[in-house]
Amino acid sequence: SQTIHQWPATLVQPVGSPLSLECTVEGTSNPNLYWYRQAAGRGLQLLFYSVGIGQISSEVPQNLSASRPQDRQFILSSKKLLLSDSGFYLCAWSAGAGVGVEQYFGPGTRLTVT
Amino acid sequence: DQQVKQNSPSLSVQEGRISILNCDYTNSMFDYFLWYKKYPAEGPTFLISISSIKDKNEDGRFTVFLNKSAKHLSLHIVPSQPGDSAVYFCAAYFGNEKLTFGTGTRLTIIP
């Protein structure tokens, strides 16, 4: 069966510091991968998605970036965090169109920028 | 431009009764719809989905209804249980590898 991991679970970072959140998927190959953010009391905002290694689509212009160095690894980064980057970050995977469009989410990372 | 809308931010239902969560969409190109359930500080969990060629899909206590002419879908939970208390998101897909999510409805089941 497929499993998705995210770490860390919680993170408190000062404004201006760098960020690296990691997501890995087990039990599947060539998944689509997604990064979402849920701000307090808000819905799910898609930040980035990837349909293959090195292929990243950005949905929202901001100071975040994403990379996919391996088939089942997705990394969310920032060089300098802003207060507005605080939120609950979720990674998700799907098998992709033609196989399954359902997305399956990881446990999330709670980021607080102070 | 909110293409998927959940106009009720919250809903309270007595335990054992039916919970009905609603979702409206504007893009007629959407051809697949999904419901997710989310507990605080956890990732959303996929519940049930429906293709646009159907008008109903059932899985245990959960049934999703789709009214394409009204661009409306609903999730029925019968009977409602305390563990159903969560935020429910509807989502829609039209072939671009992405889901468009609604803003969520917080369901509270009253014992």
Side-chain angles (χ1 to χ4, degrees):
Chain A
S1 64
Q2 299 84 10
T3 310
I4 180 168
H5 303 279
Q6 280 186 252
W7 63 91
T10 59
L11 192 58
V12 180
Q13 293 282 96
V15 168
S17 64
L19 173 73
S20 181
L21 302 181
E22 189 165 342
C23 170
T24 59
V25 180
E26 296 177 355
T28 186
S29 58
N30 196 31
N32 290 348
L33 296 172
Y34 306 84
W35 278 112
Y36 289 87
R37 176 172 60 204
Q38 185 183 24
R42 306 288 293 276
L44 299 172
Q45 180 186 32
L46 178 63
L47 302 175
F48 301 94
Y49 70 100
S50 171
V51 298
I53 295 175
Q55 300 178 59
I56 309 294
S57 296
S58 174
E59 290 294 297
V60 183
Q62 56 200 339
N63 68 319
L64 298 173
S65 62
S67 62
R68 183 171 179 174
Q70 300 181 43
D71 180 45
R72 290 169 290 176
Q73 184 185 29
F74 206 22
I75 297 172
L76 183 68
S77 305
S78 174
K79 293 182 179 178
K80 289 186 177 182
L81 283 168
L82 306 173
L83 284 173
S84 57
D85 291 324
S86 293
F88 192 53
Y89 287 82
L90 290 156
C91 182
W93 74 273
S94 75
V99 181
V101 303
E102 294 83 1
Q103 292 182 16
Y104 300 93
F105 287 82
T109 295
R110 171 72 60 193
L111 172 65
T112 303
V113 182
T114 60
Chain B
D1 177 25
Q2 193 70 31
Q3 297 188 64
V4 178
K5 302 177 184 179
Q6 294 177 256
N7 293 316
S8 298
S10 63
L11 174 69
S12 295
V13 175
Q14 206 77 29
E15 181 179 357
R17 306 293 289 268
I18 182 171
S19 295
I20 301 176
L21 298 119
N22 294 303
C23 181
D24 297 295
Y25 62 96
T26 58
N27 190 340
S28 58
M29 297 295 291
F30 288 136
D31 59 7
Y32 200 76
F33 302 89
L34 308 90
W35 283 95
Y36 284 82
K37 172 182 179 180
K38 185 182 183 302
Y39 293 121
E42 294 184 10
T45 302
F46 168 69
L47 273 179
I48 191 169
S49 61
I50 188 168
S51 166
S52 61
I53 62 173
K54 296 185 177 181
D55 55 18
K56 177 182 175 181
N57 188 28
E58 192 172 356
D59 184 1
R61 296 187 298 116
F62 302 92
T63 303
V64 56
F65 295 91
L66 176 62
N67 183 332
K68 285 182 63 179
S69 61
K71 293 190 177 68
H72 177 84
L73 65 155
S74 60
L75 175 68
H76 293 209
I77 306 174
V78 183
S80 298
Q81 300 174 354
D84 296 330
S85 293
V87 176
Y88 289 79
F89 292 96
C90 65
Y93 177 85
F94 72 93
N96 59 353
E97 305 294 345
K98 299 184 291 184
L99 295 179
T100 301
F101 283 87
T103 51
T105 296
R106 181 177 302 279
L107 174 65
T108 302
I109 305 302
I110 304 165

